[in-house]
Amino acid sequence: MTVPGRPATIVIFGATGDLTRRLLVPALANLCFDGLLSEELNVIGIALRDGDDESLRVSLDEFAPQTQCWQRLRQRTSYLPGDFTLGTVYERLKQRLGEDDAAFYLATPPQFFGVIVDRLADAGLTEEHDGGFRRVVIEKPFGHDLESARALNQRILSRVNESQVYRIDHFLGKETVQNILVARFGNAWLEAVWNHRYVDHIQISAAEAIGIGTRGAFYDTTGALRDMVPNHLMQLLSMIAMEPPNSFDAEVIRDEKAKLLRAVRRITPDEARSDAVRGMYAAGQVNGQMIPAYRETPHVDPNTATETYVALKLMVDTWRWTGVPFYLRTGKALAARDTEIVVTFKPVPYATFRETPVAHLPANQLVFQIQPHEGIDLGFLVKRPGPQVEAVPVALDFAYAEKFAVAHRTGYETLLYDMMMGDQTLFQRADQIEAGWAVVQPILDAWARGEGVLEEYTPGTSGPRAADALIARDGRQWHALGR
């Protein structure tokens, strides 16, 4: 039975930003509606903008569901304007909090993460007493490369304990992502074939149909590789490939995920050139809408070499996955919005069908569809009706929206609830963060040296031709986006 969280205060740094208004507050309102928040929960917003309690509440009303529960939570929401790089705002915050349990949510640009944690610790706001809690929730991107991620971890963990840190990845709040663990370890038939003897390869895709839009200043210093691979895609990789845990205890699961990420084979300089593809979208149409070329986007350097697409081939050096390639891809301005994991199984022997009209036997595939339509598809072969034996592919489809009430969720509900309950299962530990960056660092180094071709691709397609060639050279092809 799910129980409400205990009375506490959530302090949101960056309370006037889009993340707070569009995702965090609606998620809190949904949890309130579900009866999963204490009626004594308080929210304190901190930002530089001038204002008072009512001005913050009005700015949040646009995105929060207008329910009685939101009206109750709204009245318990207050505003503390101030510069969160200075100590004065923390002294005022300390007076408001007293000895209350509190979670500090850093919905700010990443350059403020270390500063805020330092200021919180200096003010004594991270000290835990008498069974109470003080937690820090940190958004991505966590670091810019391996060195900066290590430095940020060291800085934060010198002021608070790992048990107090919740490095959040909103992908892990998706129902289908969490269901990977249940599907894998709750179904005997699936775990029996979850190894190199039966699996041919695994694809992990995170595609967006939109371009960069107004995020040019941020994106041009980040790029597709940094933005998505060491965090989102590495987390999906670890969940789909980790070894079975001996329990669903948070640290046990995080141990297995960290072990898997450490087992990803480190890319050599030659492989950084041959097994990593980068692209940049040109001008064109996506879903009937014209978008400018990336280099013509506002706040983007017209001579930039920042990639908007990346595809990788990785290997995992464990007995379970020896010889099984993992193909990862992510990009902007592609044919469809589509985040999925596709497990392709090895084909059955053709000999049985050699006297039939069957010329090709499609491989069985298991597809975890993460967004936009959460579900699971299992593809297998059946006989087409008629006098001849002809095998055709069909699918068993499961859609979350058809079975459960999952509409109007932001993906943060589970993560916020788990954080309030002290469950770190879906949050990244320091060693996981660093292991993810260690995988991509050789590629970043190669690109910094000017190695590798940056290929333009047409918006509304599946990406650069080099990405198709990357997987085709192994006799495979990408799963169609949006399929």
Side-chain angles (χ1 to χ4, degrees), residues 87 102 123 140 149 157 171 179 188 204 342 348 388 391 393 428 477:
K140 79 168 190 71
L157 295 179
F171 263 41
N179 196 44
I204 304 176
V342 181
V348 299
Q388 293 184 312
Q428 297 190 71
Q477 64 183 11

Side-chain angles (χ1 to χ4, degrees), residues 81-378:
D83 184 343
F84 45 67
T85 66
L86 302 178
T88 52
V89 72
Y90 297 90
E91 292 303 322
R92 291 155 58 201
L93 177 60
K94 189 173 184 178
Q95 293 175 2
R96 288 202 190 185
L97 286 178
E99 298 297 322
D100 291 353
D101 290 345
F104 306 102
Y105 200 114
L106 278 52
T108 69
Q111 63 264 31
F112 297 114
F113 294 165
V115 174
I116 293 173
V117 173
D118 282 340
R119 295 289 181 268
L120 287 169
D122 290 342
L125 285 164
T126 57
E127 296 176 6
E128 297 179 320
H129 302 287
D130 302 324
F133 68 78
R134 293 292 172 92
R135 296 170 183 148
V136 180
V137 186
I138 303 177
E139 275 282 348
K140 79 168 190 71
F142 195 97
H144 192 71
D145 54 18
L146 178 58
E147 181 180 2
S148 61
R150 282 175 174 163
L152 183 56
N153 271 328
Q154 290 172 359
R155 181 176 183 178
I156 290 172
L157 295 179
S158 70
R159 308 308 303 268
V160 295
N161 296 322
E162 179 67 56
S163 62
Q164 295 176 269
V165 182
Y166 290 71
R167 300 171 189 83
I168 199 166
D169 185 337
H170 70 269
F171 263 41
L172 298 189
K174 304 287 185 183
E175 288 293 342
T176 308
V177 173
Q178 299 172 65
N179 196 44
I180 291 171
L181 297 181
V182 176
R184 279 195 56 193
F185 306 128
N187 296 288
W189 63 270
L190 189 57
E191 182 61 20
V193 297
W194 211 254
N195 55 65
H196 68 273
R197 291 191 297 169
Y198 297 100
V199 175
D200 179 77
H201 72 281
I202 294 177
Q203 299 178 25
I204 304 176
S205 301
E208 292 285 351
I210 59 173
I212 302 307
T214 60
R215 299 174 66 233
F218 162 77
Y219 203 86
D220 207 36
T221 61
T222 306
L225 182 64
R226 286 185 169 96
D227 188 39
M228 294 293 291
V229 178
N231 38 68
H232 293 333
L233 298 193
M234 285 297 113
Q235 285 300 299
L236 296 180
L237 172 61
S238 65
M239 294 187 81
I240 205 72
M242 63 184 275
E243 290 300 309
N246 60 22
S247 75
F248 281 122
D249 176 77
E251 287 310 304
V252 173
I253 291 177
R254 299 210 295 178
D255 284 344
E256 293 299 340
K257 290 166 69 175
K259 285 163 58 178
L260 188 284
L261 291 175
R262 289 195 295 270
V264 176
R265 185 182 303 170
R266 296 302 177 252
I267 297 172
T268 66
D270 286 343
E271 289 168 339
R273 291 186 290 269
S274 63
D275 292 350
V277 169
R278 57 177 171 158
M280 177 190 295
Y281 64 80
Q285 285 193 5
V286 178
N287 296 329
Q289 298 289 324
M290 284 295 301
I291 64 170
Y294 175 69
R295 286 194 173 112
E296 298 170 2
T297 302
H299 309 297
V300 171
D301 181 353
N303 298 313
T304 185
T306 298
E307 77 288 350
T308 62
Y309 177 100
V310 63
L312 310 175
K313 175 185 175 181
L314 300 175
M315 305 298 291
V316 176
D317 289 331
T318 64
W319 279 21
R320 179 184 294 269
W321 298 116
T322 182
V324 177
F326 290 75
Y327 300 98
L328 280 58
R329 60 174 171 169
T330 184
K332 300 286 188 180
L334 297 175
R337 179 177 180 237
D338 187 4
T339 300
E340 64 180 14
I341 302 173
V342 181
V343 181
T344 300
F345 294 92
K346 291 183 177 179
V348 299
Y350 179 72
T352 306
F353 294 86
R354 64 180 179 273
E355 302 299 331
T356 73
V358 176
H360 175 67
L361 291 173
N364 301 134
Q365 288 186 325
L366 181 64
V367 181
F368 292 89
Q369 187 67 45
I370 295 165
Q371 65 180 15
H373 306 296
E374 296 180 272
I376 304 175
D377 301 337
L378 176 62

Side-chain angles (χ1 to χ4, degrees), residues 22-24 26-27 30 168-175 178 371 374 406 408-417 426:
R22 294 178 180 274
L23 297 172
L24 299 184
N30 289 335
I168 199 166
D169 185 337
H170 70 269
F171 263 41
L172 298 189
K174 304 287 185 183
E175 288 293 342
Q178 299 172 65
Q371 65 180 15
E374 296 180 272
V406 294
H408 310 299
R409 300 282 153 165
T410 71
Y412 278 80
E413 287 83 0
T414 297
L415 298 170
L416 287 171
Y417 177 76
L426 297 176

